[in-house]
Amino acid sequence: GYRQLTQREMGRLMGFSDKDLDKIEGKLNDRQTQFVMGNSIVVPVAKSVMKDAFSAVGIKKKPTVISLFSGVGAFESGLNEMGGYKLARFSEINPNSIKAYTLMHGEPESKNVGDISKANPESFPKNADLLTFGFPCQDLTPNGAKQGYWLEDGSYSRSGLFFAAAD
């Protein structure tokens, strides 16, 4: 037989610290936690990517960050391990991910611009040092909707929102 991972086990598997996990304990049920953690990039991977990027472009201070498709904030957790950051705005639509993000990172929900395809570009500061985003892959994966980047009406699928962010 097998058993389901606990919230803490799922978070640790994804590389989140116990300190971060303490902040969401009891706030989401096991299924919600599995969903939001399972849709996250692994924190050590995010940290490694950012270390390489910082080195390539010469970022040496706490960066001001815009986070898109934020999920629970794996990039932000990696940035904390690298010395910190200042969040300008984040963009997330899943209510459980938003709840976990704001609890884990101590940020107000008012910094969330919501649906990136409907966000006003003026709501993003021009002086941010770093733009992070997790790729919304739900429509491309075998377990997802398999809709591709565009819906039948020509609008973006969730995975196609990557193109809205690129604009």
Side-chain angles (χ1 to χ4, degrees):
Y2 69 93
R3 66 172 178 83
Q4 296 287 327
L5 294 174
T6 66
Q7 289 182 353
R8 187 160 303 273
E9 289 168 335
M10 176 67 83
R12 285 176 175 167
L13 183 64
M14 297 304 290
F16 290 94
S17 72
D18 282 349
K19 182 179 173 186
D20 283 342
L21 297 172
D22 289 344
K23 295 173 186 174
I24 64 169
E25 191 169 344
K27 308 287 195 250
L28 300 174
N29 66 38
D30 286 346
R31 185 174 173 90
Q32 292 166 334
T33 301
Q34 288 171 350
F35 176 83
V36 299
M37 291 291 174
N39 282 334
S40 178
I41 187 170
V42 180
V43 174
V45 172
K47 183 178 171 184
S48 177
V49 168
M50 288 184 295
K51 276 185 175 181
D52 289 347
F54 281 27
S55 176
V57 298
I59 296 176
K60 294 182 177 158
K61 60 177 180 139
K62 285 186 180 182
T64 298
V65 176
I66 296 172
S67 174
L68 306 180
F69 315 112
S70 305
V72 295
F75 284 102
E76 290 81 341
S77 289
L79 286 165
N80 274 334
E81 291 180 15
M82 294 170 58
Y85 67 98
K86 178 183 176 203
L87 182 71
R89 296 281 185 272
F90 74 101
S91 173
E92 180 54 55
I93 61 170
N94 179 278
N96 293 319
S97 294
I98 295 166
K99 184 176 189 176
Y101 185 98
T102 58
L103 290 168
M104 289 171 70
H105 302 290
E107 297 289 353
E109 196 170 328
S110 61
K111 286 192 176 183
N112 184 14
V113 299
D115 186 339
I116 191 65
S117 68
K118 297 175 184 164
N120 179 350
E122 299 300 316
S123 66
F124 297 101
K126 305 292 185 242
N127 63 342
D129 301 305
L130 182 65
L131 173 69
T132 65
F133 58 91
F135 184 77
C137 63
Q138 293 90 340
D139 297 310
L140 304 175
T141 62
N143 291 330
K146 300 179 190 170
Q147 293 175 314
Y149 293 113
W150 293 275
L151 302 176
E152 287 182 22
D153 66 4
S155 63
Y156 295 125
S157 69
R158 283 174 57 180
S159 296
L161 289 174
F162 167 79
F163 296 107
D167 288 343

